[in-house]
Amino acid sequence: MKRLPFSGWHLVLAPLAVLFALPLVWLLISSVMSNAEINRFPPALWPQGIKLDGYRYVLGNALFPQWFLNSLIVSAVAVTANLVLGSLGGYAFARIRFAGSKLVLGLMLATMVIPFQLTMIPTFLVMKQLGLIDTLGALIVPSLVTPLSVFLFRQFFVSLPRELEEAAWIDGCGRLRILVSIVLPLARPALSTVAVLTFLATWNDLTWPLIAINGESTYTLQLGLTTFQGQHHTQWSAVMAGNVITVLPVLLGFLLAQKAFIRSLASTGLKG
Amino acid sequence: MASVVGTFTVDPRSRAAARRRRRGEGATGWVFVSPSVLLILGLSVVPVLWSLLLSFQVNDLVSPSEWVGLANYKALLKDPSFGSAVSHTVVYAALYVPLSVVAGLAIAIALDRKIALIGLYRTLVFVPFVVSAAAQGVLFSFVLDPEFGAANSVLHKLGLPAQGFFSDPGQALYLLVAISLWSGTGFCVIVYLAGLQGVSSDLVEAARIDGANRWGVLRHVTLPALTPVTIFLLLFQTINALQVFDLVFVTTKGGPLGSTTVIVYFIWEKAFKTFTAGYSAAAAYTLAVALLVIGVALQVYRRRVAR
């Protein structure tokens, strides 16, 4: 590690970074305050000590762990399905010649411009017909695969040199085997991009769960947190503890895989 | 699936076998894409057409619907609450989009240098972007709580009068813009930083040698090179801004006095609160057409710039 120089830019950048960080720092601080400190006038801006009452209340509230689990199930299934179905579809569009592939791919890409508001009412009616409303199935089915996942995989596979696959092909390997044993091990950037974007989209979504879920036990964390705030709007420390639990997986994911996150998000902008 | 022929030398016979297998490719291709195609087209093309039908009907999501032709669209144009939802959305977008793009560019340029702590600064600027709108809404409802919030506490310490924040119809919409800037600017920074890597250092060097100062390099070299990125961000941020919903739902529910009722909130209310699905679908179609027009216009402009 080379020590990098300090410069006048710090006078600009340090306050800016503090400004962006402050709300999240406050989120953490207020989650370990006692309600007495928050309900004083004017409310305290620094805790007198770390109180875990908020966390105890939230974790003792049987529903919060359930909501966490629901969110985890929906995101895990969505990420897995997007990786499997997206890479299968993307590979076929990139490498296999079949009748109608250009047309179907074009149609699929065209659906990317459809805003969710346009499809949400009929999607609700379809899910109702299938008997999925108020089950996790209603959240899982629409998020199994997105056109973006298929497209990102296709773009990546097109950029790989064909020679890698030719040899296996001549040796008589089938397409599936070539995909699994030769192509996918090289596709880490595409796999991580699709995983990150899918995880962010499903974990953070509020609109669709709000429409598709009525019963408290089937809530996701985002929906649970929102209603929890409505019901406990005077117990701010508990609400903030619940909020910390809601953002923690995304924050941890971001901090642990910062490069993958940033590359994924930047790539959506530069390829668009 | 995999039929292993198992040859280690490439002889003509295995080439012929490979050719024979190529003919069976079509089926394999379809097998690979069919789950994605069925799910994506089934959950987009069908609902889009269904929405179009709905928008010509009166429907309460339960009983059979009735055909009313263009009545929903005519009613929308006359509906003052739809008009104000459109104007709130336009105000929100007109502030959020340019501010987030300009701030994103300025911060990206400031962060595009090798100095101590730069990684930490970048992380802190990006982090709010991954926080969900629901979590942002809950956090800022607390910070801006007129009685228990930190914001009024700070104002009190500074000897300034307490504010109503989300309970003040004159402030609520602007606060939503500010919160969105806090979380949404990071995305513009990420994309601009990636774009800055692509600005050729030779050009910058050449401009320097020709006597251009920092400002000159920025205006004549960096900004023109970033134009495609800027157009993408304007498009992306506009489409996002016109669809703002989650943050509004969590913080203000469209209030106070309807001052933050934006288009998507209006669509949601009409479909799932008052159960007028046909009317809601008409509003959704109006929004979708507007988004499409903006998207196509910016794409055309982008092509022209590329030439």
Side-chain angles (χ1 to χ4, degrees), chain A residues 10 43 118 169 172 207 222 258, chain B residues 3 21 51 121 123 132 153 246:
Chain A
H10 286 276
L118 206 55
W169 177 253
T207 314
Q222 310 297 336
Q258 199 169 331
Chain B
S3 55
R21 275 188 305 146
S51 268
Y121 292 151
T123 303
S132 69
S153 192
D246 288 4

Side-chain angles (χ1 to χ4, degrees), chain B residues 13-33:
Chain B
R13 268 171 315 173
S14 68
R15 274 180 198 270
R19 255 202 306 278
R20 262 200 307 282
R21 275 188 305 146
R22 267 193 213 285
R23 274 177 225 133
E25 285 278 83
T28 314
W30 272 109
V31 168
F32 278 22
V33 299

